[in-house]
Amino acid sequence: MKFGYVSCLPETPLITRFVEELNNGRLMGTKCEKCGAKYLPPRAHCKCGSADIKWYEAPRRGKILTYTPVVVPPESMSKYAPYMVAVVKLEDKTRLLAQLTGVTLNMLRVGMLVQVITRRVGADRIAYEFKLV
Amino acid sequence: MKFGYVSCLPETPLITRFVEELNNGRLMGTKCEKCGAKYLPPRAHCKCGSADIKWYEAPRRGKILTYTPVVVPPESMSKYAPYMVAVVKLEDKTRLLAQLTGVTLNMLRVGMLVQVITRRVGADRIAYEFKLV
Amino acid sequence: MTQKVGIAGIGHAKFGKRTDATLRELAHEAVTRALEDAKINVKDIDASVIGVACEEFAAQVSPAVLVHDYVGMGNKPVFRAEAACATGSAAIQAAWSLVKAGLADVVLVVGAETMTHLGTLKATDVIARAGDTRWEYPFGTTFPSFYAMMANAHMHQYGTTREQLSMVSVKNHMYGAMNPYAHIQKAITLEEAMKSSMICYPLNLYDCCLISDGAAAVVLANEEKAKKISDTPIWLTGLGAASDTMMISERETLTELRATKIAVEKAYGMAGITSREVDVAVVHDCFTIAEIMAYEDLGFCKKGKGGKFIEEKQSYIGGKTPVNTDGGLKSKGHPLGATGVSMTIEITKQLRGEAGKRQVNGAEIGLSHNVGQIGQYCFVHIYSR
Amino acid sequence: MTQKVGIAGIGHAKFGKRTDATLRELAHEAVTRALEDAKINVKDIDASVIGVACEEFAAQVSPAVLVHDYVGMGNKPVFRAEAACATGSAAIQAAWSLVKAGLADVVLVVGAETMTHLGTLKATDVIARAGDTRWEYPFGTTFPSFYAMMANAHMHQYGTTREQLSMVSVKNHMYGAMNPYAHIQKAITLEEAMKSSMICYPLNLYDCCLISDGAAAVVLANEEKAKKISDTPIWLTGLGAASDTMMISERETLTELRATKIAVEKAYGMAGITSREVDVAVVHDCFTIAEIMAYEDLGFCKKGKGGKFIEEKQSYIGGKTPVNTDGGLKSKGHPLGATGVSMTIEITKQLRGEAGKRQVNGAEIGLSHNVGQIGQYCFVHIYSR
Ligand SMILES: [Zn+2]
Ligand SMILES: [Zn+2]
């Protein structure tokens, strides 16, 4: 199972674990055991330098910080366009970028509530995405 | 008509002209009208800075300066491998790199005489290459 | 070693869809003009810094020597700079450092990029991969989409309007029409700007810079050589650089570029000036919202007042701080590697008093501001006569 | 401003096929070790220079900030260096210039590359596109083929033998077996080396460096800070850089790298030494012929006598000039961006007396030599205690 609609980076243990959890319905971030910093999407190390990292399950609710519809996509995304992307602040204040589905532009306002759901893309790909609550 | 076995650069007037001449059996270089420097393959400007450039027909005979057989090719050249490449010093002392065909490694010595011929590659490609005299 | 570093020569290639030239030939056009302007020979140069942003656009891995060799620099040292859309300014800072560090007296800086040959979708894809390819690109983000998201946040927070965005475009096209090197030399009306086709709401076609081919070159030299070469050397007196998170979702605010604020503070400090003393500026208007944020982040107006600043024509010649008198990325074009060097050229022309119809009268202090990616790079330079 | 620039910390990631990490994570491994070695925090660093050679290997356009951000450098200035296989050394020279120019007191230099994920044919293709894509790549040239042609010319002109080429490989594998960070830690016999499969005559598998993933990091600082941070700062006292034609066919001679000769002359001059005073050297052995040419071009032996030099074991520890005591690119691996930084680390260890079983006793002056493309870039650094 690969991450996202398209990808060009090789898989590593971090992304394999993340995708596995996502496939089981869990959105997982990482937390630094040394300084407490939380990362979603996850990182193998903290920006403080520590490699003492623990996985945690992220909250699934948040508010839209901003959004935009992509009409002219990268070539690799042609078959999916147009689509909406958004940045959302989750309940624990981490922020996440993903596609926002089931909406039209004129429905959207900054501050709207969304939830994060798992999205399968074809047979072998998976992503997270936002849906209005 | 495109230049070489594979290419990734767009065509420009310089290369279009060169390929056209090659297709008509002429190997053309450029000569600086200001300082006299000769370039084969051709350039649109001289290294002295001048854009006062004239085409000239290059000699077709030369001597092998060095050579090597390519066994592990770039991915894009897989269908042509193995092949021999060589650097040749032409009679007017300009030097040229190209494939050297119709030879095996143990036939070759530095200093052997070759001639430059036009090589068609498939339906829409053209190159120059070396053959032992 | 307390010598200043100055600009002793400038040369600009025509920006546009240049099917007549590849990277090396475009670069040659700019270099020839820079050497003519400086009235020196390539032999008088000690080293080069070549700014090319992207190997895929160049269709060449490790593209710098292609340019260095083609323009006749031979065996001299060559360095490549790369900082995405701010590549040209990174090259200027690298060259400044080489001179200041004493490794070279005279350095040729060349910025060049060929982008149009890939076509829009492919070019969009390449630039999209300058966003985080692990966590952003897999969702189909594009560079217009990043700036559109910042625009929506700015409109929401400060009441900035689509009309104000379009006003930036109108101004830059007006000045671009006076710049013989610009990709699009055509003035547009506010109505035309507002009604152009939507790219990423709220950004429409006229809010977005062009995909262009182009090159620009400058000769940097230490004080002694700059004075010897040029009657009107322009001094680089302040340099600032800063960075920011790779992912847009990690930014605490989406209505400013923090890298701009940090870089400009350093540059002002080093030059010993404040924003009020800037007579003319070129800023990174890859999208109209970027120019509005730049007004604010560079201190030309208060945070949130950028929309008002253009509405009141404060960034026109005659206003508080004239901005992008060369047409900006918007109308001049944005061949990534060339852009920062082109910015330096415009400020040099303005401070020399050679900007013709676009001249800011009596300009003594100039500023250039160049952003890479979405603020992962920012370089600010202060110039004086 | 007459301050020296010194190495205050070093950190090496394990080179190899690193399927456990992408570029940013590999870089983190090296940076963590460099900060530990320097006993400083990332907060003590003023700026970074990131050496990544190729966007296609990184699977990221404009890859530097990916590293800068990941290791916690935040809003500080970041510069990317790129010089093909000499990227790491270009990064060191850029950082040296930043410090010497006074733009930063302490700079983090990170070199990193991930190459194995593309596979051999694709990786060969990418590297082949670092040759002139207009006039060379269309004939199917590869980097092994360029060096093989130089080897054939050298063998023809000077009688250098395939056995002598293999002897370089045997030496470098012997030292690589003692280097815990090397990709292949295994000594080989001359027979094994001679009989390995042919890649490009006369170069066989053991004449060619590996395709590897890896990262390396060093902390550079001005004299005051270097002395404060480190008990054993190592000084960068000589820097040389030079270039050459893009096309191999334009070279007047195929048996030397002219860029090496020019760069080393500058570096010796700046450091005030001659080749005789070099106690230990790391040279660019991407192919065994490259190390033999380096002996000659760096002045360790006369032109044409490089084959004899290895045959007489003059480049072993105990010989005239010990070369590639870390295993060289041949056995340590050659992750393009990391290589030059890794070279600086080996010399630093040697001059600190921390090279363990590979220690050159009493080494006081070291040299590193890093070549990009086929001599389009050459950087030489001289180090002293
Ligand atoms: Zn932490
Ligand atoms: Zn000429």
Side-chain angles (χ1 to χ4, degrees):
Chain A
M1 193 78 72
K2 287 182 175 171
F3 180 70
Y5 287 77
V6 290
S7 52
C8 46
L9 275 174
E11 312 297 305
T12 61
L14 181 92
I15 190 82
T16 303
R17 165 80 187 266
F18 178 78
V19 160
E20 208 171 89
E21 296 274 12
L22 194 63
N23 196 30
N24 291 324
R26 282 186 297 274
L27 177 69
M28 303 296 285
T30 52
K31 193 177 166 183
C32 174
E33 291 284 273
K34 192 174 161 204
C35 78
K38 286 160 89 178
Y39 297 100
L40 182 72
R43 290 169 45 113
H45 313 88
C46 181
K47 289 192 183 185
C48 80
S50 172
D52 191 2
I53 291 295
K54 222 174 151 174
W55 290 85
Y56 75 94
E57 186 163 359
R60 306 299 281 255
R61 292 220 164 201
K63 280 182 184 175
I64 295 176
L65 290 177
T66 190
Y67 57 89
T68 195
V70 177
V71 178
V72 182
E75 188 179 57
S76 61
M77 288 290 288
S78 296
K79 66 171 168 177
Y80 301 109
Y83 46 85
M84 191 79 67
V85 292
V87 177
V88 163
K89 186 184 221 169
L90 299 182
E91 281 171 349
D92 67 350
K93 294 185 177 166
T94 54
R95 290 177 300 271
L96 198 60
L97 177 143
Q99 289 190 10
L100 169 59
T101 61
V103 294
T104 57
L105 180 62
N106 54 16
M107 293 164 61
L108 292 178
R109 299 288 176 276
V110 168
M112 279 180 157
L113 287 177
V114 298
Q115 62 173 337
V116 190
I117 60 164
T118 298
R119 165 78 173 201
R120 284 181 176 283
V121 183
D124 64 339
R125 292 192 159 270
I126 198 165
Y128 42 84
E129 73 178 22
F130 306 128
K131 268 206 158 17
L132 290 185
V133 175
Chain B
M1 195 77 72
K2 288 181 174 170
F3 180 70
Y5 288 77
V6 290
S7 52
C8 46
L9 275 174
E11 311 299 305
T12 61
L14 180 92
I15 190 83
T16 303
R17 165 82 187 267
F18 178 79
V19 159
E20 209 170 88
E21 297 274 13
L22 194 63
N23 195 29
N24 292 325
R26 283 187 297 275
L27 177 69
M28 302 296 284
T30 53
K31 193 178 167 183
C32 175
E33 292 285 272
K34 192 174 161 205
C35 78
K38 286 162 89 178
Y39 297 100
L40 182 71
R43 291 169 45 114
H45 314 89
C46 181
K47 290 192 183 186
C48 79
S50 172
D52 191 3
I53 290 296
K54 222 174 154 174
W55 291 84
Y56 75 94
E57 186 164 359
R60 306 298 282 255
R61 292 220 166 201
K63 280 183 184 174
I64 295 175
L65 290 177
T66 191
Y67 56 90
T68 195
V70 177
V71 177
V72 181
E75 188 180 58
S76 62
M77 289 289 288
S78 296
K79 67 172 169 179
Y80 301 109
Y83 45 85
M84 191 80 67
V85 293
V87 178
V88 164
K89 187 182 219 170
L90 298 181
E91 281 171 349
D92 68 350
K93 293 188 179 163
T94 54
R95 289 176 301 270
L96 198 60
L97 177 143
Q99 289 190 10
L100 170 58
T101 61
V103 294
T104 55
L105 180 62
N106 54 16
M107 293 163 62
L108 292 177
R109 298 289 177 274
V110 168
M112 279 179 156
L113 286 175
V114 299
Q115 63 172 336
V116 190
I117 61 164
T118 297
R119 165 78 174 204
R120 286 182 176 282
V121 183
D124 64 340
R125 293 192 158 270
I126 198 166
Y128 42 83
E129 71 179 21
F130 306 127
K131 268 204 159 13
L132 290 184
V133 175
Chain C
M1 229 32 122
T2 54
Q3 282 205 11
K4 291 190 285 190
V5 178
I7 296 146
I10 55 174
H12 209 296
K14 171 75 174 70
F15 285 7
K17 189 167 166 56
R18 295 293 305 269
T19 53
D20 61 317
T22 57
L23 188 75
R24 60 189 102 184
E25 291 135 3
L26 269 179
H28 190 276
E29 183 175 323
V31 169
T32 300
R33 289 177 184 157
L35 296 175
E36 278 171 13
D37 179 67
K39 299 186 190 70
I40 59 172
N41 189 284
V42 72
K43 291 189 176 66
D44 303 317
I45 309 272
D46 299 321
S48 79
V49 180
I50 311 293
V52 176
C54 177
E55 65 194 40
E56 206 162 336
F57 283 131
Q60 175 73 50
V61 171
S62 200
V65 178
L66 206 66
V67 170
H68 177 85
D69 180 37
Y70 193 79
V71 303
M73 286 290 293
N75 293 108
K76 288 168 184 170
V78 52
F79 295 86
R80 178 189 172 199
E82 184 274 304
C85 318
T87 291
S89 292
I92 301 269
Q93 291 214 2
W96 188 96
S97 299
L98 285 177
V99 172
K100 195 77 178 175
L103 288 180
D105 292 340
V106 184
V107 177
L108 177 66
V109 183
V110 188
E113 208 85 34
T114 47
M115 303 173 73
T116 67
H117 65 100
L118 288 188
T120 301
L121 284 186
K122 181 72 179 164
T124 301
D125 202 315
V126 172
I127 301 171
R129 275 183 273 118
D132 190 316
T133 54
R134 172 61 91 209
W135 299 115
E136 291 179 339
Y137 177 73
F139 290 102
T141 49
T142 62
F143 268 68
S145 78
F146 288 133
Y147 277 95
M149 287 194 280
M150 289 192 265
N152 274 328
H154 204 276
M155 289 165 74
H156 173 77
Q157 188 160 347
Y158 299 115
T160 306
T161 65
R162 280 198 55 221
E163 196 165 18
Q164 289 168 339
L165 296 176
S166 292
M167 286 172 176
V168 171
S169 187
V170 170
K171 170 180 70 68
N172 291 354
H173 274 280
M174 185 188 108
Y175 290 128
M178 306 175 192
N179 182 352
Y181 300 113
H183 186 161
I184 305 279
Q185 298 168 34
K186 185 172 81 74
I188 57 166
T189 66
L190 185 60
E191 198 183 358
E192 283 169 326
M194 297 281 296
K195 287 197 171 160
S196 66
S197 62
M198 192 54 64
I199 301 293
C200 261
Y201 182 87
L203 304 178
N204 62 31
L205 191 63
Y206 275 119
D207 288 303
C208 303
C209 66
L210 305 159
I211 290 176
S212 309
D213 309 317
V218 306
V219 176
L220 282 195
N222 63 20
E223 188 168 353
E224 192 191 324
K225 293 273 184 154
K227 284 178 174 165
K228 204 170 286 181
I229 294 170
S230 176
D231 296 333
T232 53
I234 300 301
W235 307 107
L236 263 163
T237 56
L239 302 179
S243 184
D244 209 335
T245 64
M246 193 69 192
M247 291 190 292
I248 193 170
S249 61
E250 278 205 90
R251 306 281 171 90
E252 272 164 39
T253 163
L254 296 170
T255 55
E256 66 179 29
L257 293 185
R258 196 189 280 183
T260 296
K261 297 172 87 167
I262 295 171
V264 79
E265 196 186 318
K266 274 194 250 184
Y268 286 151
M270 186 170 159
I273 65 158
T274 68
S275 62
R276 302 194 148 266
E277 291 164 72
V278 175
D279 297 317
V280 57
V282 286
V283 311
H284 198 83
D285 63 322
C286 50
F287 301 95
T288 49
I289 183 64
E291 179 162 327
I292 285 179
M293 290 194 297
Y295 297 155
E296 302 167 355
D297 297 339
L298 295 169
F300 298 162
C301 66
K302 287 210 176 114
K303 193 70 218 166
K305 301 295 182 191
K308 210 80 189 159
F309 196 74
I310 178 66
E311 200 174 320
E312 292 172 353
K313 300 202 168 192
Q314 300 290 6
S315 52
Y316 275 77
I317 294 172
K320 183 172 172 285
T321 313
V323 171
N324 288 337
T325 48
D326 60 352
L329 285 57
K330 180 65 214 76
S331 103
K332 191 180 55 178
H334 181 25
L336 308 180
T339 289
V341 182
S342 168
M343 287 176 163
T344 294
I345 289 176
E346 174 64 8
I347 295 298
T348 301
K349 282 186 183 164
Q350 288 285 352
L351 299 195
R352 283 182 181 176
E354 296 175 356
K357 284 186 286 184
R358 309 177 272 116
Q359 182 65 45
V360 174
N361 281 329
E364 304 227 332
I365 292 180
L367 174 150
S368 67
H369 163 254
N370 197 185
V371 175
Q373 297 168 314
I374 47 165
Q376 282 92 316
Y377 287 103
C378 181
F379 298 97
V380 175
H381 304 157
I382 308 292
Y383 309 76
S384 74
R385 269 166 50 176
Chain D
M1 228 33 124
T2 53
Q3 281 205 11
K4 292 189 285 191
V5 178
I7 296 146
I10 54 175
H12 209 296
K14 171 74 175 70
F15 285 7
K17 188 166 168 57
R18 295 292 305 268
T19 54
D20 60 317
T22 57
L23 189 74
R24 58 189 104 184
E25 292 135 4
L26 269 179
H28 190 277
E29 183 175 323
V31 170
T32 300
R33 288 178 185 157
L35 296 175
E36 279 171 11
D37 178 66
K39 298 187 190 69
I40 60 172
N41 189 285
V42 72
K43 291 189 175 67
D44 302 317
I45 310 272
D46 299 321
S48 80
V49 180
I50 311 293
V52 177
C54 176
E55 64 195 40
E56 206 162 335
F57 283 131
Q60 175 72 50
V61 170
S62 200
V65 180
L66 205 66
V67 169
H68 177 85
D69 180 36
Y70 193 78
V71 303
M73 286 291 292
N75 293 107
K76 288 166 183 170
V78 51
F79 295 86
R80 178 188 172 200
E82 184 274 304
C85 317
T87 292
S89 293
I92 300 269
Q93 291 214 1
W96 188 95
S97 299
L98 285 177
V99 171
K100 195 78 179 175
L103 288 180
D105 292 340
V106 184
V107 177
L108 177 66
V109 182
V110 188
E113 209 84 35
T114 49
M115 304 173 72
T116 66
H117 65 101
L118 289 188
T120 300
L121 284 186
K122 180 73 179 162
T124 301
D125 202 314
V126 172
I127 300 171
R129 274 183 273 120
D132 191 316
T133 54
R134 173 61 91 210
W135 298 114
E136 290 179 342
Y137 177 74
F139 290 103
T141 49
T142 61
F143 269 67
S145 78
F146 289 133
Y147 277 96
M149 287 193 281
M150 289 191 265
N152 273 328
H154 204 276
M155 287 164 74
H156 173 77
Q157 188 159 348
Y158 299 114
T160 306
T161 65
R162 279 198 56 221
E163 195 165 18
Q164 289 168 339
L165 297 176
S166 292
M167 285 172 177
V168 171
S169 187
V170 169
K171 169 180 70 68
N172 291 354
H173 274 281
M174 184 188 108
Y175 290 127
M178 306 174 192
N179 181 351
Y181 300 112
H183 187 160
I184 304 279
Q185 297 167 35
K186 186 173 80 75
I188 57 166
T189 65
L190 184 61
E191 199 183 358
E192 282 169 328
M194 297 281 296
K195 288 198 171 160
S196 66
S197 62
M198 192 53 65
I199 302 293
C200 261
Y201 181 87
L203 304 178
N204 62 30
L205 191 64
Y206 276 119
D207 289 304
C208 305
C209 67
L210 306 159
I211 291 176
S212 310
D213 309 317
V218 305
V219 176
L220 282 195
N222 63 20
E223 188 168 354
E224 191 191 325
K225 293 273 184 157
K227 284 178 174 166
K228 204 170 284 179
I229 293 170
S230 175
D231 297 332
T232 53
I234 301 302
W235 308 106
L236 263 163
T237 56
L239 301 180
S243 185
D244 209 334
T245 63
M246 194 68 191
M247 291 190 292
I248 195 170
S249 61
E250 279 205 272
R251 307 281 173 90
E252 272 164 42
T253 162
L254 296 170
T255 54
E256 64 178 30
L257 293 185
R258 195 189 281 185
T260 295
K261 296 173 88 167
I262 296 171
V264 78
E265 195 185 320
K266 276 195 248 183
Y268 285 151
M270 185 169 160
I273 66 158
T274 68
S275 62
R276 304 194 145 267
E277 290 163 72
V278 175
D279 297 315
V280 57
V282 286
V283 313
H284 198 84
D285 63 322
C286 51
F287 300 94
T288 48
I289 183 64
E291 180 162 326
I292 285 178
M293 290 194 296
Y295 298 154
E296 302 167 354
D297 297 339
L298 295 169
F300 299 162
C301 66
K302 287 210 176 116
K303 192 70 218 167
K305 301 295 183 191
K308 210 82 188 156
F309 197 73
I310 178 65
E311 199 174 322
E312 292 172 351
K313 300 204 167 192
Q314 299 290 6
S315 52
Y316 275 76
I317 296 173
K320 183 172 171 283
T321 313
V323 172
N324 288 337
T325 49
D326 60 352
L329 285 58
K330 180 64 214 76
S331 104
K332 190 179 56 178
H334 181 24
L336 310 179
T339 288
V341 182
S342 168
M343 287 175 163
T344 294
I345 289 176
E346 175 64 8
I347 296 297
T348 302
K349 281 186 185 165
Q350 288 285 353
L351 300 196
R352 283 182 181 176
E354 296 176 355
K357 283 186 286 184
R358 307 178 272 116
Q359 181 65 45
V360 174
N361 281 329
E364 303 227 332
I365 292 179
L367 174 151
S368 68
H369 162 256
N370 197 184
V371 174
Q373 298 167 315
I374 48 165
Q376 283 92 318
Y377 287 103
C378 180
F379 298 97
V380 175
H381 303 157
I382 308 292
Y383 309 76
S384 73
R385 269 165 54 174

